[in-house]
Amino acid sequence: LGISENMSYGFVFLIGLVAAMSTCLAVSGGLLLAVAARHNQNNPNATRFEKFRPHLYFNVGRVLGYTIFGGLVGLLGSVLTISTKVNGVITIIVSLVMMFLGFQLLGIFPWLRHLQPKMPKFISRKVQGMKGSFFLGAATFFLPCGFTQALQLYVLSQGDFTTGTLTMLAFSLGTLPALISLGAISSFAKGAF
């Protein structure tokens, strides 16, 4: 799978499916489970559907956030021209960030845990409830994910609001089945499972 000059939205959807089974599940899935765990801790008598609600809000926020921010990045691309050299430098930086995150996730270099950025407490306290889940889902657009960043660069290079909106909508819809499944399993599973 590669990012090319002109991609169909179906192909972008497939990229989303692939991304969801790797980096999106690791990065966004971890955030989603943390928000849901906080919700469950604050609401110990919640029904299974009530436990599933933060997952729904997170994913709705994610799809809407990707769609709106994708359009804005496309609009930015219409007034901003990035040279091939700058595009190459950005791609290298994104690749290094992805390698760094991969090493952290795999625990290959334990000392990297000390370099892991943490969310400031004044923000993490506000990311509670359904509204917090929604806005956190929308904010995942800005997380360092190689697939997302590659598509953001693609959208920027297209320089069109509609292309940006539809590209990031297709991508976010591609990631949705895996993230909703994660939410369903964690909300409806019983006992040791």
Side-chain angles (χ1 to χ4, degrees), residues 106-175:
L106 294 172
I108 293 175
F109 302 111
W111 56 270
L112 284 177
R113 273 184 261 150
H114 302 294
L115 301 175
Q116 185 172 2
K118 292 184 174 40
M119 186 181 299
K121 289 191 183 212
F122 75 92
I123 294 175
S124 65
R125 285 189 198 114
K126 293 184 190 248
V127 183
Q128 293 183 21
M130 298 308 129
K131 205 184 316 183
S133 296
F134 177 87
F135 287 115
L136 185 63
T140 59
F141 182 83
F142 301 102
L143 288 176
C145 167
F147 288 101
T148 304
Q149 290 172 332
L151 284 171
Q152 288 166 345
L153 283 174
Y154 167 74
V155 165
L156 188 67
S157 72
Q158 295 299 302
D160 180 56
F161 179 81
T162 305
T163 301
T165 299
L166 295 175
T167 299
M168 296 313 287
L169 172 64
F171 176 72
S172 64
L173 290 175
T175 64

Side-chain angles (χ1 to χ4, degrees), residues 41-62:
Q41 184 181 18
N42 292 341
N43 302 289
N45 297 324
T47 65
R48 288 192 180 110
F49 180 74
E50 289 169 342
K51 290 180 179 180
F52 187 62
R53 275 188 20 190
H55 297 275
L56 288 176
Y57 278 79
F58 181 92
N59 281 298
V60 168
R62 192 167 192 282

Side-chain angles (χ1 to χ4, degrees), residues 98-113:
M98 287 307 299
M99 285 176 30
F100 174 75
L101 291 172
F103 289 146
Q104 278 186 326
L105 286 171
L106 294 172
I108 293 175
F109 302 111
W111 56 270
L112 284 177
R113 273 184 261 150

Side-chain angles (χ1 to χ4, degrees), residues 55-73:
H55 297 275
L56 288 176
Y57 278 79
F58 181 92
N59 281 298
V60 168
R62 192 167 192 282
V63 170
L64 288 176
Y66 271 60
T67 303
I68 292 166
F69 291 132
L72 293 175
V73 168

Side-chain angles (χ1 to χ4, degrees), residues 176-189:
L176 198 56
L179 291 174
I180 285 287
S181 298
L182 176 68
I185 290 169
S186 67
S187 298
F188 295 104

